[in-house]
Structure formats: C-alpha cells, structure tokens
Amino acid sequence: MTSDDQKRLAAEAALAFLPEGGVIGVGTGSTVNHFIRALATRRDAITGAVSSSEQSTKLLQSVGIEVLDLNEVAELAIYVDGADEATQTLSLIKGGGAALTREKIVAAVAQRFICIVDESKLVPQLGAFPLPVEVIPMARSFVARELVKLGGHPVYRQGVITDNGNVILDVHGLSITDPESLETTITMLTGVVTCGLFARRGADVLIIGTPRGVERLDR
Ligand code: 5RP
C-alpha cells in the first residue's frame, strides 16, 4: 500500500468526526485533499468550511462546499488537517505546505483538532523534518541569526511567499526534546509570525493510515 493510499484511508476515517451541521475547519496538503474529496460526498451534513489556505479554498469550492471567513464564524466543532511529523503525545510539526499560520489560527478556534497522517509521519521525536518558521520578510536575516543561536540551521525557502505575504525559513538540525518550550521561544522572536510546532495546541485525535488499516491515538 502506498503512502498516498494510507493518507486516503486516514482522510476517509475522519468523516466519522463530522458534527451534525455547523461549520468545520479544513487544513492544507495532499492528505487534506483526500479529506475534501471524501467530504464532497457528505457536503449536506455541514453548513460550510473555514479554510487554512487559498489552495484548499479552491478545492472546497470546486466540490460545492461553501467557504466562510473565520471572522463570521463563532465556533468550529472540528479542524481536520495533516502533519509533517507527529509524536505519540500528539505534538506536531506542520507547515511543509507553507500554510502554518492560518492552520494554527483555525486549530486554535476549533474544539477538536483531528490530525490525519500516513504511517511515515509518526516519529519518536520531532525535528528530522525541518521546522518551518513564517517570518516577516524584512526580519529574515535577523531571525535566521537568532535561530542559529538556538542550535538550528535555517534555510530560506526560495521562491515561496505565504498566503499572508511572508517568507519561510526551514530550520534543520534542531533537537526538539521539549516542543512546547521551543514553540514559545521561537514564536517570541521579533519578526516571527509563527512556527510549525503545534505542541501548545497539538492534535486531539491522530488518525494514522497504515497498511494494516486505520489506527487512532487520542490526547
Ligand atoms: C501544510 C501542512 C500539511 O498538513 C503538511 O505539510 C502535510 O502535508 P501532506 O498531507 O501533503 O503530507 O502543514 O502547511
């Protein structure tokens, strides 16, 4: 079974968490694309969706799901999104698709964060995947120097501008033993919009597609 098949399995399993009516949050990436296509078969179950990226907005609209502005929505029962890495304690690295800031905002609003991944994303410790950090463009070099002081090797993601008009530094070589503390430290650096650590608000449910079927971890 390919990793894409595993992503599809996890995405389809997330349909079980759909609320009865209301608006849901939808993330970004290839696993979420499977979720959106599966959601299209159940679109009457929800009022609409808040999207974490222009890319997901287009796909949602193309399958007939209304996309709402987060400012018009008082609550989201669930947020469904993928991850680049996940631990058994449901801390995540996200942002491989450069949508980390909007993803973190929508996750913050949602009552339950349902994370959908293939088996390769489950790791004993975060950090083999370079940590994405969204940075205000004029602060790029300053933030890069500060990240070096934290033991990382930041690499400017050339040619990528986020939906918010910012740039991404991918930080290699971090040993992430305390994800919550590192999330706080990096987020506090002047010029950083946010980082791809989702530890202070990690997932509530992790659905893992595997060759043996779907497995689930709960917070
Ligand atoms: C985008 C993300 C994605 O959730 C993450 O990159 C996983 O992507 P995929 O489902 O394509 O493996 O954080 O910013």
Side-chain angles (χ1 to χ4, degrees):
M1 181 184 272
T2 66
S3 71
D4 195 57
D5 291 331
Q6 295 175 31
K7 289 178 181 188
R8 186 175 38 74
L9 271 188
E12 289 171 357
L15 290 179
F17 292 85
L18 283 184
E20 305 222 337
V23 181
I24 68 166
V26 175
T28 300
S30 56
T31 317
V32 165
N33 289 346
H34 283 299
F35 175 71
I36 295 172
R37 286 189 281 267
L39 185 62
T41 65
R42 299 275 303 279
R43 63 172 168 255
D44 293 339
I46 56 166
T47 313
V50 167
S51 165
S52 73
S53 65
E54 303 299 334
Q55 179 193 317
S56 290
T57 295
K58 283 198 188 101
L59 186 56
L60 284 160
Q61 289 171 336
S62 76
V63 300
I65 294 169
E66 187 182 354
V67 177
L68 294 103
D69 186 319
L70 182 60
N71 291 305
E72 298 166 1
V73 177
E75 63 179 42
L76 298 171
I78 62 166
Y79 175 55
V80 179
D81 199 359
D84 299 300
E85 283 185 345
T87 65
Q88 296 272 351
T89 53
L90 279 56
S91 290
L92 313 171
I93 285 184
K94 294 185 43 53
L100 60 160
T101 298
R102 294 190 186 191
E103 291 172 343
K104 202 172 270 196
I105 294 168
V106 184
V109 175
Q111 284 160 25
R112 265 179 125 188
F113 178 0
I114 315 295
C115 184
I116 49 178
V117 295
D118 66 278
E119 195 174 35
S120 71
K121 304 290 182 64
L122 197 58
V123 296
Q125 181 179 297
L126 300 175
F129 189 92
L131 178 65
V133 180
E134 180 164 349
V135 180
I136 302 286
M138 72 174 289
R140 191 186 84 218
S141 298
F142 167 69
V143 170
R145 290 193 293 274
E146 295 300 304
L147 291 167
V148 169
K149 288 181 195 163
L150 295 175
H153 306 286
V155 176
Y156 174 35
R157 203 183 292 181
Q158 297 275 354
V160 172
I161 301 290
T162 70
D163 286 347
N164 314 305
N166 298 314
V167 297
I168 299 282
L169 294 173
D170 290 306
V171 191
H172 296 246
L174 288 171
S175 173
I176 306 180
T177 51
D178 184 347
E180 285 193 41
S181 157
L182 187 64
E183 180 178 2
T184 303
T185 302
I186 294 179
T187 308
M188 293 291 286
L189 293 173
T190 301
V192 166
V193 179
T194 200
C195 76
L197 276 169
F198 285 56
R200 289 182 305 182
R201 201 282 182 257
D204 297 303
V205 178
L206 183 66
I207 302 178
I208 311 156
T210 82
R212 304 166 301 286
V214 169
E215 293 171 7
R216 171 178 162 179
L217 295 174
D218 286 76
R219 178 169 293 278

